[in-house]
Amino acid sequence: MYWRTYRARSSRVCCTGNENMFAFHFAIYLYFSGTWEEGKSSDTQKWSSLEHKGPYFPPEYEPLPDNICFNYDGQPVKLSPVTEEIATFYAKMLDHEYTSKEVFQNNFFCDWREEMTKEERKLIKTLSKCDFSQIHKYFVEKSEERKNMTKEEKQVLKEEASRLMEEYGYCLLDGHREKIGNFKLEPPGLFRGRGEHPKMGKLKKRIQPEDVTINCSQDSKIPAPPAGHRWKRVQHDNTVTWLASWLENIHGRPKYIMLNPSSKLKGEKDWQKYETARRLKMKVDSIRKQYRRDWTSREMKIRQRGVAIYFIDKLALRAGNEKDDESADTVGCCSLRVEHITLHRRLDAQEHVVEFDFLGKDSIRYYNKVPVEKQVFKNLKLFIKHKDPEDDLFDRITTVKLNKTLNESMPGLTAKVFRTFNASTTLQDQLNKLTTGGMTVEEKILSYNRANRAVAILCNHQRAAPKTFERSMQLLQEKIQKKKEQIEEAKKELKEAKKAHKDAPSDKSKKLLEKKEKAVQRLGEQLKKLQLQETDREENKVIALGTSKLNYLDPRISVAWCKKHQVPIEKIYNKTQRDKFAWAIDMTDENFQF
DNA sequence: CATTGGACTTGGCACTATCCAA
DNA sequence: TTGGATAGTGCCAAGTCCAATG
């Protein structure tokens, strides 16, 4: 079995008794595999055989029934199929707040008109005169119908989906069947984007086979394009991992069809990522010493670099590459502007506080007040001197230069490694601290979630409070209240049973007493469980745990913790996660430390 | 050195499946 | 059996980083 070979290999390399020794050897291995000629080829080659069925195309557009009409300026207009399809994209979104945004409307209308026939373009000149309400209503009803389908109808749909999955969802990589991550091509629609995106509302065009490049091995069965079509290209490049690619028309950037995280290819890459982070653990002291020295350098760019790396290390900020004006205005460390920080000599009884306020990835706000070292504070004052709010804070450095420096400190080190390193270190520390003897499984899980939460807060992984949050919290509180009342009741009954047993002892009264004692105890446990749940949920209101769990936390820490504290792994990882982390579940014993 | 293209990881959220109490 | 809450999944956008180019 494929899995077995993977297993054997991982455990041989990984489960040496001495983790430090292992990290050392791994460092050597990585170092040489990057420089030696022989090593290099094995490093860049991703597979030796690859066969697949090509992407699955979304269904063609189905024109609206004749009784559903688009109206312009009060008059019904029959649109050409292409124009009509784009109209339906807009009509379906009418409930969303963003269709009321000017940027969205302008972009949509502009792109829509471009696809119209000459006659349509001549007629349809103002969006405000367009009436999509019939179309909107039609789709609302359709989705209602879908919701009301019978069990049998739903079953048919389900079987259809699993047939599709069976046919297109897997590939053959080096002779082994692997799950594909996204085998369905993205359907056409209107681009939304996150935050104040200047391109929101633009038309995302339908992908044609003629847009798609196929990547597979030369001697494999080449996937057939849909009837009457050709692929853009068929290539056989084994230095990349993707099966198909195309250019999306909004930014003109490539998109790919790639493997599922459960695949060996992705798993090994993931493992490698965490090993790099563990190597940083070994080197981080000297790196910290270095950047502290840099704070007093004669050269401004070195000072800036030193402070930037300090932020990346201490606050787990992202690198912050340059961005063009064609996307939302968001920043990371290197792209911070003067306006994003406020310096407080003294704030809330703390000295040298930096107040950060900026939009990061996905336009998620980063807000934090952090006391920093005096020298950092001094430097920041220097960096912002004579600058305007919209000027770069670190004007002498870029992510490329910063990463180049990091790479010189440790092969493979980049800014993002600090996030992985900090996240995993935090989880390990928190788990060690929060797990104590004599805890129930539920208490341990609360501890785990709290440790996970500490990481999510560090990485600023936020979410909108769930729409149902207040309500579900209230429900839980009612449940708790009810449980408390039950306990009161049970206690009363227990007291009576005690009295009855004392007054007239018998087998029966003794049994009753025991029963009542058990009931009180059981209810108490249930109450505790509910209260733990309440705490957990309250603390998690605006925190998203998923991203750190999936991308930043070395799964071996969790696996070892589960083994050590007899927590079933299923309580921590669901099925998908267990598949993704199969490598870790398999190779890790309870003594693993990050 | 700056710029661009390309490949890969990381990210939140809407939708869907499942679970559980009434 | 149902409907509402919760958990899980898919979607696809938005980052990082490397290498080629000029």
Side-chain angles (χ1 to χ4, degrees):
Chain A
M1 220 180 122
Y2 184 44
W3 183 229
R4 288 284 158 198
T5 60
Y6 177 27
R7 189 173 274 204
R9 201 187 139 203
S10 327
S11 32
R12 178 156 37 86
V13 184
C14 226
C15 292
T16 57
N18 187 328
E19 293 291 341
N20 289 347
M21 209 52 194
F22 166 64
F24 177 69
H25 285 305
F26 192 85
I28 301 262
Y29 161 72
L30 267 189
Y31 181 71
F32 285 115
S33 71
T35 29
W36 281 357
E37 279 304 306
E38 312 89 279
K40 205 160 195 174
S41 77
S42 74
D43 210 34
T44 50
Q45 182 178 329
K46 306 295 177 14
W47 47 265
S48 41
S49 78
L50 175 62
E51 182 167 306
H52 57 92
K53 285 279 194 145
Y56 175 76
F57 285 82
E60 287 300 314
Y61 175 64
E62 271 183 52
L64 296 168
D66 286 335
N67 62 322
I68 304 300
C69 222
F70 166 74
N71 284 289
Y72 188 74
D73 208 6
Q75 299 298 314
V77 179
K78 181 74 190 165
L79 300 172
S80 65
V82 171
T83 308
E84 186 187 276
E85 180 180 17
I86 301 167
T88 65
F89 298 154
Y90 192 80
K92 284 179 192 173
M93 295 176 154
L94 245 36
D95 287 335
H96 289 279
E97 184 238 334
Y98 50 75
T99 52
S100 65
K101 294 199 175 189
E102 207 180 312
V103 177
F104 190 96
Q105 293 175 350
N106 289 153
N107 282 333
F108 161 71
F109 198 57
C110 199
D111 283 6
W112 189 31
R113 276 175 52 87
E114 227 155 81
E115 302 296 316
M116 288 179 185
T117 63
K118 262 202 190 108
E119 294 72 34
E120 286 168 337
R121 192 155 41 234
K122 216 171 147 191
L123 174 70
I124 303 171
K125 292 213 159 116
T126 320
L127 181 60
S128 59
K129 290 184 179 172
C130 294
D131 178 4
F132 301 96
S133 58
Q134 277 190 39
I135 308 179
H136 176 72
K137 186 160 162 266
Y138 172 73
F139 283 108
V140 170
E141 281 164 8
K142 260 199 131 175
S143 83
E144 205 59 36
E145 265 173 45
R146 210 148 30 83
K147 244 186 260 169
N148 293 332
M149 275 189 305
T150 63
K151 242 186 193 163
E152 291 72 27
E153 290 168 321
K154 281 182 183 166
Q155 187 58 31
V156 172
L157 244 52
K158 219 171 150 182
E159 275 159 24
E160 181 67 19
S162 84
R163 230 176 31 77
L164 219 63
M165 180 70 173
E166 203 53 41
E167 177 163 5
Y168 290 95
Y170 296 84
C171 68
L172 215 56
L173 191 138
D174 293 346
H176 303 288
R177 196 161 181 261
E178 294 273 32
K179 211 170 171 183
I180 298 170
N182 55 329
F183 64 90
K184 286 177 174 170
L185 287 178
E186 294 173 18
L190 302 183
F191 176 79
R192 172 58 186 92
R194 315 263 161 81
E196 292 301 313
H197 198 118
K199 296 200 171 190
M200 64 170 84
K202 281 184 74 62
L203 173 65
K204 204 170 93 170
K205 291 184 176 165
R206 184 178 287 273
I207 305 159
Q208 300 297 337
E210 285 72 11
D211 304 323
V212 176
T213 301
I214 298 290
N215 194 41
C216 63
S217 47
Q218 191 116 41
D219 54 356
S220 74
K221 215 172 132 205
I222 310 291
H229 286 280
R230 308 182 299 111
W231 300 121
K232 177 180 184 184
R233 206 154 74 84
V234 176
Q235 63 166 48
H236 312 289
D237 181 357
N238 71 3
T239 68
V240 295
T241 66
W242 52 269
L243 318 189
S245 76
W246 68 95
L247 290 179
E248 53 93 13
N249 68 293
I250 302 287
H251 308 276
R253 288 166 48 119
K255 288 215 171 186
Y256 305 92
I257 288 184
M258 288 188 187
L259 294 184
N260 186 276
S262 63
S263 61
K264 178 189 172 194
L265 203 64
K266 294 283 190 191
E268 283 191 333
K269 197 77 192 297
D270 212 29
W271 173 52
Q272 197 177 305
K273 174 181 77 185
Y274 291 113
E275 286 309 316
T276 304
R278 291 177 85 200
R279 283 192 292 124
L280 173 55
K281 189 189 154 103
M282 304 296 144
K283 285 236 64 174
V284 76
D285 284 344
S286 76
I287 289 170
R288 284 173 177 159
K289 252 186 212 144
Q290 181 58 50
Y291 69 58
R292 299 175 80 91
R293 274 201 293 275
D294 290 346
W295 294 345
T296 52
S297 167
R298 286 178 292 107
E299 276 189 86
M300 186 58 85
K301 66 173 182 196
I302 294 180
R303 285 198 190 202
Q304 291 195 355
R305 194 179 68 199
V307 172
I309 298 176
Y310 170 73
F311 282 168
I312 285 167
D313 180 24
K314 184 180 168 76
L315 304 173
L317 298 191
R318 297 187 185 82
N321 286 305
E322 294 280 333
K323 294 181 69 185
D324 52 31
D325 315 334
E326 306 282 84
S327 56
D329 177 20
T330 61
V331 298
C333 184
C334 292
S335 48
L336 279 171
R337 298 191 296 263
V338 172
E339 61 192 328
H340 295 131
I341 62 163
T342 312
L343 302 177
H344 302 277
R345 176 66 188 75
R346 164 163 250 127
L347 182 75
D348 306 333
Q350 287 179 312
E351 293 207 312
H352 307 120
V353 176
V354 184
E355 184 180 358
F356 291 86
D357 192 353
F358 61 89
L359 296 183
K361 183 178 179 184
D362 294 310
S363 294
I364 298 290
R365 186 180 180 205
Y366 183 93
Y367 184 79
N368 203 358
K369 289 185 238 175
V370 202
V372 300
E373 312 250 349
K374 193 173 174 187
Q375 189 56 38
V376 169
F377 195 83
K378 271 186 168 171
N379 276 324
L380 288 170
K381 264 180 135 171
L382 195 62
F383 300 161
I384 63 176
K385 212 168 178 178
H386 305 309
K387 279 188 193 169
D388 290 331
E390 61 274 18
D391 288 339
D392 285 338
L393 174 64
F394 301 118
D395 56 306
R396 307 289 174 92
I397 57 167
T398 64
T399 54
V400 175
K401 285 187 236 168
L402 188 137
N403 278 335
K404 207 167 156 282
T405 308
L406 291 177
N407 196 259
E408 282 161 9
S409 306
M410 183 192 107
L413 184 60
T414 62
K416 87 197 253 298
V417 178
F418 278 89
R419 266 167 88 79
T420 313
F421 157 73
N422 269 316
S424 289
T425 305
T426 302
L427 181 75
Q428 182 82 72
D429 292 350
Q430 289 292 309
L431 284 179
N432 290 348
K433 194 152 54 175
L434 298 174
T435 327
T436 54
M439 287 176 135
T440 64
V441 172
E442 283 78 23
E443 287 169 328
K444 286 178 200 163
I445 289 169
L446 176 63
S447 291
Y448 183 90
N449 286 342
R450 282 183 158 160
N452 194 164
R453 200 140 49 227
V455 175
I457 289 167
L458 174 74
C459 295
N460 200 40
H461 291 141
Q462 300 189 35
R463 62 168 181 176
K467 285 187 200 78
T468 54
F469 186 82
E470 298 305 332
R471 159 132 196 85
S472 78
M473 226 37 212
Q474 195 185 348
L475 242 52
L476 193 57
Q477 275 153 13
E478 279 166 21
K479 243 171 151 177
I480 287 170
Q481 193 51 40
K482 220 165 121 188
K483 195 62 74 183
K484 281 181 177 165
E485 283 161 19
Q486 283 175 10
I487 288 176
E488 284 315 301
E489 187 61 29
K491 275 185 178 163
K492 222 158 80 191
E493 285 174 25
L494 174 62
K495 217 171 169 183
E496 280 163 18
K498 254 184 192 158
K499 188 165 183 296
H501 182 59
K502 202 176 164 192
D503 293 348
S506 70
D507 266 5
K508 202 178 154 193
S509 70
K510 194 179 166 200
K511 252 194 186 147
L512 188 72
L513 177 60
E514 281 168 2
K515 199 177 140 196
K516 294 294 175 194
E517 274 171 344
K518 267 211 181 109
V520 171
Q521 198 191 343
R522 203 186 58 234
L523 286 167
E525 280 162 12
Q526 287 172 347
L527 175 66
K528 210 166 159 201
K529 219 165 151 177
L530 286 172
Q531 284 169 330
L532 286 176
Q533 215 184 349
E534 187 193 15
T535 311
D536 204 12
R537 199 181 295 176
E538 185 69 57
E539 290 177 359
N540 221 31
K541 183 174 178 181
V542 293
I543 311 291
L545 299 185
T547 299
S548 50
K549 203 174 186 178
L550 239 47
N551 299 304
Y552 288 105
L553 301 177
D554 188 332
R556 291 170 294 181
I557 300 170
S558 304
V559 173
W561 179 84
C562 281
K563 286 190 174 157
K564 188 163 179 186
H565 299 283
Q566 285 101 46
V567 176
I569 194 79
E570 295 79 14
K571 301 268 186 190
I572 299 300
Y573 291 139
N574 67 29
K575 180 70 172 64
T576 313
Q577 293 163 341
R578 292 199 299 278
D579 285 344
K580 168 167 177 167
F581 298 133
W583 59 273
I585 292 170
D586 198 65
M587 70 160 77
T588 311
D589 67 53
E590 64 165 73
N591 297 315
F592 175 89
Q593 290 276 324
F594 179 76

